Amino acid sequence: MSHTYEYARAALTVDCVVFGLGEDELEVLLIRRALEPFANRWALPGGFVHIDETLEDAALRELEEETGLRKVYLEQLYSFGAIDRDPRERVVTVAYYALVKLSDHKVRAATDASDAAWFAVSDLPDLAFDHAQIVDMALNRLRAKVRYQPIGFELLAKKFTLTQLQRMYEVILERTLDKRNFRKKILGMDLLVELDEVQKDVAHRAARLYKFDDRRYRKLVKQGFSFEI
Amino acid sequence: MSHTYEYARAALTVDCVVFGLGEDELEVLLIRRALEPFANRWALPGGFVHIDETLEDAALRELEEETGLRKVYLEQLYSFGAIDRDPRERVVTVAYYALVKLSDHKVRAATDASDAAWFAVSDLPDLAFDHAQIVDMALNRLRAKVRYQPIGFELLAKKFTLTQLQRMYEVILERTLDKRNFRKKILGMDLLVELDEVQKDVAHRAARLYKFDDRRYRKLVKQGFSFEI
C-alpha cells in the first residue's frame, strides 16, 4: 500500500534525550544504530511518527522499543527542521527530554538499535544526524530550568541527603556550590521534609535523610520560583 | 505532479501567535479564514511548510503573506500533534510566537485570509482548530518568561516612562503592581538608562524617559535573572 499527495511531504520523527544522574556526571541514554544512515553510530532513541499516534505516544513507543525504558515523563523540547538534517530526505523531528533515576532503568537494546547505553554528557561519542545539537539544547533547557523550578524528584532516590541534593545541582550546573549557602537557600524554600532517619551502611558519619514535600514541590513547579544558585 | 510514499504522512504546518501591547490590553494578531475548513472563522496566521524551507522560514513567509508583517523575531513555542486537530486529515503544527510594537505594524489581509486584525487576548472570538489552546500556551510562556528574562524591548517604544514599563508588566500579568516596589526592583537590575529627556505633549506633569541598556539587556536574556514581581 502506498500514499500519494499533491505536494511533497516531510517525514516526521521524534527523538528523546533521557538524562540520568550518575555518580559524578549527568548521563544521557544513547542507542547504537543498526541501520543506515549512520549505521553503527550512536544516536538518540527515536523514530518515525505513525499516522495514528500522537507525538508523545510515538516518543514513548520508540523509547521503549529501542531501550526498554517505560513510563518516562517526557517533556517536549523543540522541533528541528533544518533542510538537510537527514541525508535521505526532508525529515522534521520533534525532540523530547526526560529525567530518570538510573537505578530504575536497566536498558536493553531492541528493534533497530544494536545497543543501548548511558554516556556521560561531557564525553559523548560522535552522534548521528544533528543529535549533538539536540543534546546541547536539552542541556541548556535543564540548566535554565533549575533556576526557576524545583528539580530532583525524577533524578534522586525517594530519600536523600542534602549532600546528594547539592551534588545533583553541581553535576547539572557543572560547578561547585558553597555548602552553607546552598543549604540556607534550599531549606528556605520549604521544599524538603526532614526525616527521622539517617543514612545506612556508610563509612563516614551517617547524614540526615530528607524527602521532597510532594504538594509544595508540585506547587513550585506550577508557579515557579527563583533559585539564584 | 504528485508524491508517493510507503507510509501515510502527516501534513506539516506552522502557526504564529503575535502579541502586541495595546493601551490597556495585550493583543494578538488574527486572520479571518477565507477557505474551508473553518471558513470565516478567525485563526492564527499560518499554513503549510514547503518541502524546501525551514520551519521558521515557513512561519515568516505565512505571516507576511497573510498579514503583511515582516521581519518579526519569532521564537518556537511548541508542536501540536493531536490526532484530530484538523478535520481534513492528520496535520501537525509547529507554533511560533513573537512580540511586536503595534505601531510598527499596520496589518493587511492577503492570500487565503479575508481579513487580519488585532484582538484583546481577554476578548478573543471563537478560533479555528486548536488555536485557542495555542494562544493559551503562548500566554503562559510569556507570563512565565517575564519572571526570568527582561522583556519589553520588542513591545515598547525606544524611549518610555517607568509608568509605561510598569503598565506593560501589568497588562501581561493581568494584575496591578505596587509602584514603589516595581521601581525599586527594575532600577536595581541596571537594565535601564535614564535619559536627559521628559515626555512631550502630555497634559499631566511630563515624566522622565528611559531606554534599555542594549548590552545589559542582551546579557540578561542570555543568562536569565530572577524578577520576583
Side-chain angles (χ1 to χ4, degrees):
Chain A
M1 210 171 108
S2 67
H3 302 265
T4 301
Y5 306 100
E6 193 182 347
Y7 298 100
R9 294 191 170 190
L12 189 64
T13 59
V14 284
D15 286 297
C16 301
V17 185
V18 180
F19 290 118
L21 193 64
E23 197 66 24
D24 286 300
E25 274 276 22
L26 198 61
E27 300 188 359
V28 65
L29 181 58
L30 299 177
I31 56 114
R32 191 195 283 273
R33 292 178 59 83
L35 308 170
E36 292 294 347
F38 299 104
N40 296 317
R41 284 271 280 278
W42 291 94
L44 295 171
F48 293 96
V49 177
H50 296 172
I51 197 73
D52 59 354
E53 67 184 350
T54 64
L55 302 170
E56 191 177 330
D57 285 347
L60 288 168
R61 176 182 54 72
E62 286 288 345
L63 192 58
E64 180 168 4
E65 283 178 10
E66 294 192 339
T67 72
L69 246 70
R70 296 180 55 202
K71 294 184 184 169
V72 167
Y73 173 67
L74 292 171
E75 207 166 308
Q76 201 185 98
L77 176 67
Y78 198 79
S79 294
F80 293 80
I83 308 286
D84 298 323
R85 54 177 299 284
D86 190 306
R88 291 168 290 189
E89 59 164 335
R90 182 81 194 277
V91 180
V92 170
T93 198
V94 183
Y96 283 81
Y97 80 113
L99 307 176
V100 302
K101 290 187 226 313
L102 283 183
S103 56
D104 286 1
H105 296 284
K106 292 279 166 281
V107 301
R108 53 167 176 74
T111 65
D112 50 348
S114 67
D115 200 359
W118 292 97
F119 286 81
V121 295
S122 63
D123 194 23
L124 293 180
D126 250 358
L127 298 182
F129 306 105
D130 54 358
H131 290 188
Q133 189 192 343
I134 298 177
V135 171
D136 267 352
M137 188 177 281
L139 272 172
N140 288 337
R141 181 76 61 93
L142 179 59
R143 283 174 188 147
K145 198 170 180 165
V146 302
R147 283 197 328 249
Y148 59 87
Q149 269 194 10
I151 209 162
F153 191 78
E154 306 93 335
L155 288 171
L156 295 170
K158 203 174 158 61
K159 302 170 183 180
F160 48 83
T161 67
L162 293 179
T163 302
Q164 286 165 340
L165 186 62
Q166 179 175 340
R167 191 78 198 106
M168 178 195 75
Y169 276 97
E170 290 179 336
V171 162
I172 292 172
L173 295 169
E174 290 189 317
R175 60 188 170 87
T176 53
L177 301 170
D178 178 70
K179 180 173 160 178
R180 218 179 115 200
N181 208 7
F182 175 80
R183 293 191 173 199
K184 194 176 137 197
K185 281 185 181 164
I186 201 87
L187 292 173
M189 284 193 290
D190 271 344
L191 182 62
L192 303 179
V193 178
E194 186 178 334
L195 298 173
D196 197 18
E197 272 178 77
V198 294
Q199 281 180 300
K200 276 167 198 151
D201 308 319
V202 287
H204 52 81
R205 183 169 158 265
R208 172 75 55 184
L209 289 169
Y210 291 78
K211 64 170 187 159
F212 290 112
D213 179 329
D214 283 3
R215 206 146 58 137
R216 176 81 176 152
Y217 191 98
R218 284 196 302 270
K219 193 178 167 193
L220 287 177
V221 165
K222 215 169 154 185
Q223 71 181 201
F225 64 1
S226 72
F227 192 33
E228 286 192 77
I229 196 168
Chain B
M1 209 172 107
S2 67
H3 301 267
T4 301
Y5 306 101
E6 192 182 349
Y7 298 100
R9 294 192 170 188
L12 190 64
T13 60
V14 284
D15 285 297
C16 302
V17 186
V18 180
F19 291 117
L21 193 63
E23 198 66 22
D24 285 300
E25 275 275 23
L26 197 61
E27 301 189 357
V28 65
L29 181 58
L30 300 177
I31 57 114
R32 191 194 282 274
R33 291 177 60 81
L35 307 171
E36 292 293 350
F38 300 103
N40 296 316
R41 283 270 281 278
W42 292 94
L44 295 171
F48 293 96
V49 177
H50 296 172
I51 198 70
D52 58 353
E53 67 185 347
T54 65
L55 302 171
E56 192 177 328
D57 286 346
L60 289 167
R61 176 183 52 73
E62 286 288 345
L63 192 58
E64 179 168 6
E65 283 179 8
E66 294 192 338
T67 73
L69 246 71
R70 296 180 58 201
K71 294 183 184 171
V72 168
Y73 173 69
L74 292 171
E75 206 167 307
Q76 200 186 97
L77 176 66
Y78 198 79
S79 294
F80 293 80
I83 308 286
D84 298 322
R85 54 177 300 283
D86 190 307
R88 291 167 291 189
E89 59 163 336
R90 181 82 193 277
V91 180
V92 170
T93 198
V94 183
Y96 284 80
Y97 79 114
L99 307 176
V100 303
K101 290 187 227 314
L102 282 183
S103 55
D104 284 3
H105 297 284
K106 293 280 167 280
V107 302
R108 52 166 177 76
T111 66
D112 49 349
S114 67
D115 200 359
W118 292 97
F119 286 81
V121 295
S122 62
D123 194 23
L124 294 181
D126 250 358
L127 298 182
F129 306 106
D130 53 358
H131 290 187
Q133 188 192 343
I134 298 177
V135 172
D136 267 353
M137 188 177 282
L139 272 172
N140 287 337
R141 182 75 60 91
L142 179 59
R143 284 174 187 148
K145 198 170 179 163
V146 302
R147 285 198 326 252
Y148 59 87
Q149 269 194 11
I151 207 160
F153 190 79
E154 307 93 335
L155 288 171
L156 295 170
K158 204 175 156 61
K159 302 171 184 180
F160 48 84
T161 68
L162 291 181
T163 302
Q164 286 165 340
L165 186 62
Q166 178 175 341
R167 190 78 197 107
M168 178 195 74
Y169 278 97
E170 291 179 333
V171 162
I172 291 173
L173 295 170
E174 290 190 317
R175 59 188 170 86
T176 52
L177 300 170
D178 177 72
K179 180 173 162 179
R180 218 179 115 201
N181 208 8
F182 175 80
R183 294 192 172 199
K184 195 176 137 195
K185 279 184 181 165
I186 202 87
L187 292 172
M189 284 192 291
D190 271 346
L191 182 62
L192 303 179
V193 179
E194 187 177 335
L195 298 172
D196 198 18
E197 270 178 79
V198 294
Q199 280 180 302
K200 275 167 200 152
D201 308 319
V202 287
H204 51 80
R205 182 167 160 265
R208 171 74 55 183
L209 290 168
Y210 291 79
K211 62 170 189 161
F212 290 111
D213 179 328
D214 283 4
R215 206 146 59 134
R216 175 80 176 153
Y217 192 97
R218 283 197 302 271
K219 193 178 167 193
L220 286 178
V221 164
K222 215 169 155 185
Q223 70 179 204
F225 64 0
S226 72
F227 192 32
E228 285 191 79
I229 196 166

